[in-house]
Amino acid sequence: MTTTYETYVVADDELPLDLLVWRRFRKRTPGLVERILKLNHDLADLGQFLPVGTTVVIPIDAPDNSPARKPAVRLWGAD
C-alpha cells in the first residue's frame, strides 16, 4: 500500500500537534500523532507548541481506528 503525504505549514501561534491533527481529520485517530512524529524527526524537539512557519508532513491516509458502534441495550423493550 502506498502512503500519500501532504505538507502543512504552521500559521497559528501556540498550535500543538494534536490540535493540528484534529483540525485536519476531525475525528479521533489514535497513534497518528506518534506516526507524524516519526515522519518529522525534529518536531518533538520544538516543544509543546509548534512555532509559526514550521513545516509538518502529514499522511493523508489516516487509519480509521474509531470503535465500531454497538446497538443500545433497552431494558424495557424496543421503541
Side-chain angles (χ1 to χ4, degrees):
M1 183 174 134
T2 305
T3 304
T4 4
Y5 302 97
E6 66 183 11
T7 303
Y8 181 85
V9 178
V10 177
D12 298 336
D13 284 335
E14 297 186 3
L15 178 68
L17 182 59
D18 58 341
L19 180 57
L20 186 148
V21 171
W22 171 255
R23 286 180 181 174
R24 169 59 183 87
F25 294 103
R26 296 286 183 194
K27 63 180 179 179
R28 289 191 61 212
T29 49
L32 187 57
V33 171
E34 291 81 4
R35 188 172 165 196
I36 292 171
L37 287 171
K38 285 182 183 179
L39 285 172
N40 302 273
H41 300 289
D42 57 343
L43 209 56
D45 297 334
L46 298 176
Q48 178 181 359
F49 300 108
L50 302 173
V52 174
T54 302
T55 302
V56 181
V57 176
I58 300 174
I60 294 177
D61 59 344
D64 185 15
N65 292 334
S66 56
R69 295 188 62 124
K70 296 181 181 179
V73 175
R74 307 256 187 220
L75 297 179
W76 291 281
D79 290 336

